Amino acid sequence: MCISPTTNGGVQSRRPLDFLQTVNLKYVKLGYHYLITHLLTLCLVPLVAVIVIEASLVNPDDIHQLWLQLQCNLVAVIFFCAMVVFGSTVNVMTRPRSVYLVDYSCYKAPSHLKVRYHRFMEHSKLIGDFDESSLEFQRKILERSGLGEETYVPEAMNYIPPRISMAAAREEAEQVIFGALDDLFANANVKPKDIGILVVNCSLFNPTPSLSAMVVNKYKLRGNIRSFNLGGMGCSAGVIAVDLAKDMLQINRNTYAVVVSTENITQNWYFGNKKSMLIPNCLFRVGGSAVLLSNKSMDRRRAKYKLVHVVRTHCGADDKAFRCVYQEQDDDGKTGVSLSKDLMAIAGGALKANITTLGPLVLPLSEQLLFFATLVAKKLFNAKVEPYIPDFKLAFDHFCIHAGGRAVIDELEKNLQLLPVHVEASRMTLHRFGNTSSSSIWYELAYIEAKGRMQKGNRVWQIAFGSGFKCNSAVWEVLQSVKASPHSPWEDCIDRYPVEAVA
């Protein structure tokens, strides 16, 4: 037995070496990941070596004999070459067209629409529709929400009493949508007449004529434009709109698609005292985005991103999921959006279903093998093992998690085992702009760009949740090192972020 001296002159036995203390397991896993990733290459090395050796033994006479054999089978050679050409042509003609994100913009409201906590509470009290219990509830939600003091509410909410007319709602929609589109057309150097596909999504405000028709009228878009207006699809509608635009770009050659994502607050503020319907008042703020997509091969050189995957999961067949975000009237006949106490559990289930489909598309083979091994052990051998949570940090460099609230971001950070830097963009977007619904993932992308972190070859995962209940994912590949576009929503404040209080 090994012994070592002690301070009191005695002896003590040495402990056996603790493997977990002597070896950093993260490096073991990293080594395993690289081994599995490059396993095929390692296996091909001996085969390549054998081919090289055999080729070196070939003499000119062998080559001459091969040429004579080909001449004797000229018809077969021509047929083989024709089949290769035909197969290559069919492959090129039928494969999905690449969809590029040329540029995008996010709307930033004027500074006089900023709402501080004390101003929000003062207005809520002066409106006169909320009792003391509801006012105290809103105050607590604000303090715990993760929102800062510089988020924006629409012009109509700055009046006492608020202007909740149709005209005021249209005014908000025009300011946000036209503001985002003006910046987009200027930055991308694209004329409105060049747009062949238009998709506008706004969940709660759907006037007649539609918002998409409003855009067509404003910018005098061409008469054969394919326009779509998506309503009632919640905060995940931005990804749905991108998916629809992608499908349209597959069947319309050499064209541009514009996707506009926003939400309208003016006519959807809740003026009652039901607690579950007061939460949206505290979280939702003014915002919107406009995204320019293209299927033109020439745009690859100037595009920022390439769309790799869109995965959509719909849990609406389940009654609890269907009603967890539900627009309704309270007992006093006042309309609002009610959030169920089961919302986080339902969101977790939707996320699990979504990543079950997304995982095999993006995860390296090493992670898929680990997941499959634990699944087999649990299902076939009844082993008491915890389900393996794949490491999505190996598949993605940046994460844009819908800024629905602090609880949503916390839950995904925990479940996906992310680091603080991976959820920084989501937390800071929530703090600076609040929950801007379907456009929040674009404010987050703009944050990462403004920080100078978006490098060529990176992969970005946008995750959005919405009523219904839905969880949708979009995966983008960075085509060049991206800098923030002019008029970025972060250009005057990025140096102040991240804010440690909410990091």
Side-chain angles (χ1 to χ4, degrees):
M1 180 175 67
C2 296
I3 58 175
S4 61
T6 61
T7 54
N8 59 6
V11 295
Q12 65 179 17
S13 60
R14 284 181 177 170
R15 286 183 174 181
L17 288 176
D18 188 342
F19 178 76
L20 294 179
Q21 292 180 356
T22 57
V23 179
N24 194 328
L25 288 181
K26 77 174 183 180
Y27 294 113
V28 175
K29 184 176 180 181
L30 189 62
Y32 161 77
H33 165 64
Y34 280 118
L35 174 64
I36 297 299
T37 302
H38 301 290
L39 184 61
L40 181 60
T41 303
L42 295 174
C43 292
L44 287 176
V45 169
L47 179 61
V48 173
V50 170
I51 293 174
V52 170
I53 294 172
E54 289 295 329
S56 66
L57 297 177
V58 175
N59 54 50
D61 187 58
D62 294 328
I63 297 175
H64 180 67
Q65 290 297 323
L66 177 61
W67 174 248
L68 292 177
Q69 290 291 329
L70 291 175
Q71 284 182 322
C72 294
N73 297 277
L74 184 60
V75 174
V77 171
I78 294 175
F79 178 77
F80 175 76
C81 293
M83 291 303 296
V84 170
V85 172
F86 176 76
S88 301
T89 303
V90 170
N91 178 61
V92 170
M93 296 297 293
T94 59
R95 67 184 179 186
R97 303 178 190 277
S98 296
V99 174
Y100 304 108
L101 192 160
V102 178
D103 209 339
Y104 68 97
S105 64
C106 298
Y107 175 72
K108 185 178 178 182
S111 58
H112 72 273
L113 296 182
K114 289 181 182 179
V115 54
R116 297 185 179 277
Y117 287 176
H118 75 274
R119 184 181 176 190
F120 180 94
M121 294 307 304
E122 181 183 356
H123 274 234
S124 296
K125 187 173 182 179
L126 291 174
I127 289 171
D129 289 316
F130 306 111
D131 58 29
E132 289 299 323
S133 175
S134 295
L135 289 171
E136 179 62 17
F137 178 78
Q138 291 182 77
R139 185 187 64 79
K140 290 181 178 179
I141 292 295
L142 276 177
E143 292 175 351
R144 302 168 185 173
S145 65
L147 273 68
E149 300 272 9
E150 296 184 285
T151 60
Y152 304 95
V153 294
E155 187 82 46
M157 304 311 299
N158 285 277
Y159 290 86
I160 302 296
R163 296 167 48 219
I164 54 173
S165 64
M166 175 66 77
R170 283 187 183 276
E171 183 181 338
E172 179 193 347
E174 290 172 356
Q175 288 176 350
V176 174
I177 294 175
F178 296 162
L181 284 171
D182 286 345
D183 285 343
L184 177 66
F185 289 138
N187 294 342
N189 194 26
V190 171
K191 298 177 182 177
K193 288 287 186 182
D194 295 333
I195 306 303
I197 300 163
L198 172 66
V199 184
V200 179
N201 69 267
C202 182
S203 188
L204 295 175
F205 181 60
N206 292 285
T208 300
S210 67
L211 296 177
S212 60
M214 182 182 77
V215 173
V216 172
N217 177 260
K218 165 68 175 180
Y219 294 96
K220 309 305 177 188
L221 303 184
R222 62 199 199 197
N224 65 344
I225 191 168
R226 272 73 169 173
S227 65
F228 303 87
N229 201 91
L230 305 181
M233 305 194 79
C235 301
S236 67
V239 177
I240 297 173
V242 168
D243 191 34
L244 174 57
K246 178 205 71 175
D247 290 343
M248 293 301 299
L249 286 170
Q250 296 304 310
I251 57 177
N252 293 274
R253 294 175 175 271
N254 297 318
T255 191
Y256 290 111
V258 167
V259 174
V260 179
S261 299
T262 188
E263 189 53 86
N264 194 282
I265 297 175
T266 298
Q267 285 193 318
N268 295 289
W269 203 267
Y270 175 62
F271 295 99
N273 293 289
K274 188 175 180 179
K275 300 295 192 295
S276 63
M277 299 172 75
L278 283 169
I279 298 174
N281 286 10
C282 303
L283 298 179
F284 282 87
R285 296 292 185 265
V286 170
S289 63
V291 181
L292 179 66
L293 303 175
S294 171
N295 59 9
K296 300 180 181 182
S297 56
M298 62 183 297
D299 280 326
R300 179 183 176 89
R301 288 175 294 179
R302 68 175 184 133
K304 291 184 173 184
Y305 307 95
K306 176 183 176 181
L307 183 61
V308 182
H309 300 292
V310 176
V311 175
R312 294 166 55 180
T313 303
H314 205 307
C315 303
D318 179 77
D319 290 342
K320 283 188 176 181
F322 175 71
R323 295 188 64 91
C324 71
V325 180
Y326 202 78
Q327 187 179 25
E328 60 184 352
Q329 290 182 323
D330 63 14
D331 295 337
D332 298 321
K334 296 181 178 180
T335 302
V337 176
S338 176
L339 303 183
S340 167
K341 62 181 180 181
D342 300 320
L343 177 59
M344 292 311 302
I346 291 168
L351 174 66
K352 181 179 178 181
N354 188 265
I355 64 177
T356 299
T357 303
L358 180 67
L361 300 175
V362 299
L363 286 170
L365 182 61
S366 57
E367 289 299 291
Q368 295 188 49
L369 288 176
L370 287 174
F371 178 78
F372 182 72
T374 56
L375 184 65
V376 170
K378 187 170 185 178
K379 296 292 184 182
L380 298 184
F381 305 107
N382 294 320
K384 294 182 178 180
V385 294
E386 290 292 327
Y388 178 72
I389 301 176
D391 187 357
F392 280 92
K393 298 187 295 293
L394 296 174
F396 301 110
D397 303 280
H398 308 287
F399 298 78
C400 296
I401 301 167
H402 167 53
R406 172 177 280 177
V408 174
I409 302 172
D410 289 346
E411 193 69 17
L412 265 71
E413 180 183 18
K414 176 183 176 182
N415 289 342
L416 296 177
Q417 299 179 349
L418 302 179
L419 301 175
V421 68
H422 294 133
V423 295
E424 181 183 313
S426 300
R427 292 194 189 283
M428 298 309 113
T429 294
L430 182 66
H431 181 271
R432 177 62 183 84
F433 296 99
N435 181 349
T436 59
S437 190
S438 56
S439 64
S440 68
I441 54 178
W442 299 105
Y443 287 88
E444 294 161 15
L445 198 66
Y447 178 89
I448 300 169
E449 290 180 2
K451 282 293 184 181
R453 299 172 183 171
M454 202 68 76
Q455 302 299 314
K456 182 178 180 180
N458 286 174
R459 283 203 167 193
V460 184
W461 183 13
Q462 292 181 320
I463 317 169
F465 299 92
S467 57
F469 188 84
K470 300 178 286 291
C471 175
N472 299 321
S473 294
V475 178
W476 303 88
E477 178 186 351
V478 185
L479 298 178
Q480 56 182 303
S481 296
V482 179
K483 296 181 180 179
S485 299
H487 308 295
S488 165
W490 297 95
E491 65 180 359
D492 66 340
C493 62
I494 191 63
D495 294 337
R496 294 190 275 118
Y497 286 89
V499 178
E500 295 298 330
V502 296

